[in-house]
Amino acid sequence: MRLGFFVKEAYRALSRNAAPSLAAMLTILLTALVLGVFIPIVQATTSAADQVRSRVIVNVYLASDVSPADKLALRQRIERTPNVERVEYVSKEEALAQERRRHPKAGWELLGSNPLPDTFRVTPVDPDRVQEIVDALYPVGADGRRHGAVPAIDEVRNREQDTKKILSATSIVKVLAAGLAGLLVFASIALVANTIRLSIFARRREVEVMRLVGATNWFIRWPFVIEGMLVGLMGGVLAVLLLWIVKDTFLDPLSDRFALVSLPHTISFPALAAVLLGSCVAVSAIGSGVTLRRFLRV
Amino acid sequence: MAATETEIRARDRAGARAAGAPRPDVPVVELKDVTKVYDGGSVGLDHVSLRIGRGEFVFLVGPTGCGKSTCIRLLMRELLPSSGEVFIAGRDIGRIPSKRVPHLRRNIGVVFQDYKLLPNRTVYANVAYSLEVIGESRQSIRRKVPDILRLVGLSTKLHAYPDELSGGEQQRVSIARAFVNHPPLLLADEPTGNLDPETSIGIMQLIYRINRTGTTVIVATHDKEMVDKMRRRVIELDGGRIVRDELSGLYRPDESTREFAIRLRGEMGVGDEGNPN
Ligand SMILES: Nc1ncnc2c1ncn2[C@@H]1O[C@H](COP(=O)(O)OP(=O)(O)O)[C@@H](O)[C@H]1O
Ligand SMILES: [Mg+2]
């Protein structure tokens, strides 16, 4: 019975306060759309970045003619280096075989001898701190150039360049998405707050009477909170509907044909819809709350 | 006949002898050295002390700006005193937590010069609304609203909107709203300020009638003529100070509301065209 009263009052207020409610609803709709597009994209790029990270390795190339004892000693030294997860030995013969498999038509027969060195492949614990391993095994000497920490090391390399590019691209996507979403969330809160402020103004007689006859604070506030949440919910539902239409008519047919389009490791649509609706209601509740705190005191 | 009306008629007849008897020794309202200075620096009340007993009918008079409305607003805790204490039924209302304020207000009916009715709701809905917002059940609303509207003489206008009513009728709706839960205290700030003398007498008669049920009534007004004729206790303010407090010897506790109205009409020189009730 109470709930019926609140919803009835909220609806009355909404219909009398249509323009600002519409503006707030459209902003929330936009926010939800942006979130709905960016959440899967950020997830996909994050998982791509994680894959790149897991492929980060450091190659320690050995000098020629290193004795087996020295190799063992070097292996132990590498294993003791901080941030090293795993060390794998690849002999020059294996390396050549791998290269041949990877590029079968490269004309390896033209090479008289095997140019590839024996190699330790080092997997780091934390791919973002791979440089530490390089610095430990291949430090910068007094002449400003790098030298092997022990004579057995000829050179140390990692695929730092590539990795950095991909990782910074993903973080740009993330920062952009977060910035845009942040701005839109802020705008939504502000517009809901404004809607509720106008609604309080439009209903100031009611509020005055309610105070006069001794309605409790929450009895006065609930209709406004519900009004705000209805605005948020409508925006959210519309956004979910639009996203679903786009997904159903464009993305799904595409992803049947191209594996690329079906984003792996991303949130399922029902979960996404729930997240969006939840955030819309939360945003509008915050918006109404802000105004009620400012304008509706006993 | 409705329960409320029966009850009130009965109390009316019993008059001073029944539960509604004034007991000036039991203070319902007490101001102790109350000063109210507004933010802008203007003085609303200036060291005012007064006691109003249960069942009393008190006029608060004085020129515009003397502090009548300030006093009313302090009593309904819309304002807090700058210094001093305001007691209602023995409780310092400056000290009750703000969460309890709504419950205080449920025990105080308030009537204003401008009625404060909701223009887009009918007479019935206006009174029902004030019960809805304090969480009354639909059942009791359906029982109480027609009853109180009959008491104020508006049972034929339940579905009229405020702008379809005369000023006096609108004020009756606002009195119905203030009294629908039978609060022990009724405050009225210039209730006849917008009304002609004949209509004013009807409103005063209604308020007097409410007082006869045992409700303590405080009426702020600058209608000096009406006050003088009514022969009740008068507290006069000037510049926020009490300049007169006549515990009027003119008080006639056994006067019925009908006799009261007839006398008032006679003394104010307005013809008696018959009592609407
Ligand atoms: N909200 C307010 N802010 C500042 N001053 C006020 C306010 N309300 C009343 N006053 C001042 O307090 C004094 C008493 O006003 P009020 O109680 O309204 O008088 P009355 O109702 O007797 O006409 C006046 O000087 C008035 O200007
Ligand atoms: Mg006034």
Side-chain angles (χ1 to χ4, degrees), chain A residues 174-189:
Chain A
K174 274 189 203 170
V175 167
L176 271 181
L180 193 58
L183 268 179
L184 281 166
V185 164
F186 182 78
S188 306
I189 289 177

Side-chain angles (χ1 to χ4, degrees), chain A residues 156-230:
Chain A
V156 176
R157 278 204 205 153
N158 68 329
R159 296 192 206 129
E160 189 191 1
Q161 253 30 48
D162 313 352
T163 330
K164 266 202 174 147
K165 266 185 223 155
I166 293 176
L167 292 184
S168 70
T170 42
S171 62
I172 286 174
V173 169
K174 274 189 203 170
V175 167
L176 271 181
L180 193 58
L183 268 179
L184 281 166
V185 164
F186 182 78
S188 306
I189 289 177
L191 278 155
V192 172
N194 184 51
T195 307
I196 299 307
R197 193 173 60 79
L198 290 171
S199 177
I200 291 174
F201 183 73
R203 284 165 35 82
R204 62 194 178 287
R205 285 165 185 273
E206 275 90 345
V207 170
E208 190 185 9
V209 168
M210 282 194 264
R211 284 211 182 111
L212 215 74
V213 301
T216 57
N217 257 344
W218 274 109
F219 218 102
I220 299 176
R221 286 177 181 172
W222 267 120
F224 294 108
V225 173
I226 291 177
E227 182 186 356
M229 294 205 294
L230 277 179

